Amino acid sequence: MVDEEKLQKLKERIQTAKATNTPYQKTKKDNGAGFGFKISTEIIAALVVGVGIGLIVDKYLGTKPFGLIIFFIFGALAGFLNVYRVMRRIEKQ
């Protein structure tokens, strides 16, 4: 008898907890801000890596502006490719 009462109270507590705890719903504003931050981070990171590699190539090979220019372009292309991949992934959802 005691176990049945405890079980019934536990069921009631579980139902109350399920009713009061609702999952967080993302809003359009949250999704847009996160999406914009992700896109800008992808582009900036790719450009920084490209410029860094270009400066290193110029230092060791003695090709002063050409390595920087070429790897800046490669970094920009890589950044836009990453943004394209993110857009396709979001489009599938």
Side-chain angles (χ1 to χ4, degrees):
M1 180 84 170
V2 175
D3 291 334
E4 290 178 17
E5 290 176 7
K6 287 183 179 180
L7 187 60
Q8 184 62 30
K9 287 181 181 179
L10 180 61
K11 286 181 182 178
E12 290 174 4
R13 288 178 57 198
I14 290 173
Q15 288 176 353
T16 304
K18 283 183 180 179
T20 57
N21 292 333
T22 58
Y24 175 72
Q25 299 292 329
K26 290 184 179 180
T27 62
K28 293 279 185 182
K29 186 176 182 180
D30 293 339
N31 290 338
F35 178 70
F37 184 71
K38 183 174 180 96
I39 297 260
S40 63
T41 303
E42 292 281 346
I43 292 175
I44 291 172
L47 286 174
V48 167
V49 169
V51 168
I53 292 173
L55 290 173
I56 291 170
V57 166
D58 282 340
K59 181 178 179 181
Y60 286 111
L61 298 180
T63 58
K64 196 63 168 174
F66 297 112
L68 178 64
I69 293 169
I70 290 170
F71 282 98
F72 175 81
I73 292 170
F74 284 157
L77 291 175
F80 287 118
L81 180 63
N82 287 341
V83 169
Y84 176 72
R85 289 178 185 163
V86 169
M87 294 290 286
R88 283 189 46 198
R89 191 177 324 135
I90 289 175
E91 187 178 275
K92 288 181 181 179
Q93 293 176 353

